[in-house]
């Protein structure tokens, strides 16, 4: 199995066991009690009220800072932009204090390879504020990499010596604050009022704000109060601009045929992962199809479907909604 395929498959089930949703046939793939005792401690961080399995945005930001401080040879952290409220100084009646947007780079600094010689993987999460799982999934994936490297896992060591894994855990921190502290709103978008007069429905769906196919209303909306509102123009939002500018730096023009970007989403009782690359010359559909089938082979109790995106369905006996 290639390093890239291993990275993909490691992301699929990593968080499901958190709420006891792994089918018995898949429990052999989870860390043992002894392994978990040697892993990075997560319980000391602030969690979402009533959902102790998920770190809150405050807890996650502290977690990222601690990683960079405790593992300087593996993790670097930088501020790549500001949320709408942080940038514009409008706290929407105290609904969010405003946040910096952070990116992590996980790689072995002592590798003989220079950054330009390493493969690049960019993983994002937290675009849709009410989807709690992806941010925790990404954080635990990062913990798994660090723990594996520090415990001399041969495959993880090789990955981090040959690859830079870039992670933006909270793309939409204003929205996440709203979703955590006003959970009855099921907040999804950012906190830009942007023409909507209803205080419970304003904001821009960052996932529909990117310039690629912007304005295509087969999956987006021009209604400022709609969940899928695409904004006033392509890349109009502070959060979108921060992510796009960072991605452009991570993926130099000469490398965009071979590197990968992944965004984690969740909905209902499914975990979805869209797989794409930053080159029009790449066969996006073929790559998604191949990776879905690899996931289905590795995790037979999950059903893999392919269309324009890769969807990994949880085991059919699961009754609990993940988000």
């Amino acid at each position: 199995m290639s390093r890239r395929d291993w990275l993909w498959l490691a992301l699929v089930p990593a968080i499901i066991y958190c709420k006891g949703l792994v089918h018995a046939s898949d429990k052999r793939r989870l860390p043992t009690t002894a392994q978990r005792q040697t892993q990075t401690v997560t319980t000391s961080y602030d969690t979402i009220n009533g959902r102790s399995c998920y770190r809150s945005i405050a807890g996650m930001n502290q977690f990222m800072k601690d990683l960079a401080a405790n593992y300087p040879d593996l993790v670097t952290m930088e501020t790549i932009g500001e949320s709408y409220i942080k940038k514009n100084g409008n706290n929407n009646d105290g609904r969010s204090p405003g946040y910096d947007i952070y990116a992590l780079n996980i790689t072995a600094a002592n590798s003989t390879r220079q950054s330009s010689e390493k493969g690049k993987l960019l993983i994002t999460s937290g675009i849709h504020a009410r989807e709690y799982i992806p941010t925790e999934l990404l954080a635990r994936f990062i913990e798994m990499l660090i723990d594996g490297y520090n415990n001399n896992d041969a495959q993880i060591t090789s990955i981090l010596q040959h690859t830079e894994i870039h992670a933006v855990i909270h793309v939409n921190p204003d929205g996440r604050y709203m979703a955590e502290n006003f959970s009855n709103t099921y907040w999804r978008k950012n906190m830009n009022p942007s023409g909507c007069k209803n205080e419970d429905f304003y904001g821009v769906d960052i996932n529909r704000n990117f310039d690629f196919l912007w304005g295509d209303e087969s999956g987006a909306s021009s209604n400022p109060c709609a969940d899928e509102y695409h904004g006033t123009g392509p890349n109009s939002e502070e959060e979108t601009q921060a992510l796009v500018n960072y991605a452009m730096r991570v993926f130099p023009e000469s490398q965009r045929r071979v590197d990968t970007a992944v965004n984690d989403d969740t909905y209902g009782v499914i975990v979805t992962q869209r797989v794409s690359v930053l080159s029009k010359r790449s066969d996006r559909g073929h790559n998604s199809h191949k990776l879905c089938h690899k996931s289905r082979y590795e995790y037979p109790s999950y059903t893999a479907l392919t269309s324009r995106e890769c969807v990994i369905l949880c085991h059919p006996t699961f009754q609990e909604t993940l988000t």
Side-chain angles (χ1 to χ4, degrees), residues 125-267:
S125 59
I127 285 182
H128 290 152
R130 65 192 179 198
E131 298 174 15
Y132 291 159
I133 287 177
T135 54
E136 187 67 30
L137 164 61
L138 183 49
R140 294 192 181 210
F141 177 63
I142 293 168
E143 288 175 319
M144 181 188 69
L145 293 174
I146 294 172
D147 291 328
Y149 187 88
N150 289 333
N151 286 284
N152 300 313
D153 181 283
Q155 195 161 33
I156 291 177
T157 298
S158 178
I159 287 169
L160 294 183
Q161 287 177 341
H162 292 81
T163 311
E164 289 183 0
I165 300 174
H166 296 260
V168 182
I169 295 180
H170 277 296
V171 176
N172 179 17
D174 284 343
R176 181 55 174 257
Y177 179 90
M178 187 70 177
E180 290 179 5
N181 292 279
F182 302 89
S183 58
N184 60 311
T185 64
Y186 297 97
W187 204 268
R188 168 187 170 99
K189 301 184 284 183
N190 74 355
M191 297 292 288
N192 181 359
S194 193
C196 179
K197 304 302 182 182
N198 189 322
E199 65 177 15
D200 291 330
F201 295 102
Y202 63 78
V204 174
D205 182 353
I206 299 169
N207 207 32
R208 270 76 176 173
N209 188 238
F210 297 104
D211 59 357
F212 180 71
L213 294 180
W214 184 88
D216 179 357
E217 294 193 14
S218 61
S221 174
S222 58
N223 178 359
C225 294
D227 265 353
E228 297 81 18
Y229 176 50
H230 54 48
T232 57
N235 297 340
S236 62
E237 302 309 295
E238 307 294 346
E239 298 86 353
T240 315
Q241 294 168 23
L243 182 55
V244 167
N245 291 337
Y246 185 68
M248 296 291 282
R249 287 197 287 119
V250 170
F251 300 111
E253 187 74 34
S254 61
Q255 293 187 337
R256 291 180 194 169
R257 294 188 63 186
V258 296
D259 294 324
T260 304
V262 178
N263 178 58
D264 293 326
D265 289 75
T266 57
Y267 175 79

Side-chain angles (χ1 to χ4, degrees), residues 83-92 96-98 174 191 239:
S83 68
Y84 173 83
I85 291 177
K86 177 74 179 292
K87 183 76 171 182
N88 293 278
N90 177 5
N91 72 354
N92 295 67
S96 170
D174 284 343
M191 297 292 288
E239 298 86 353

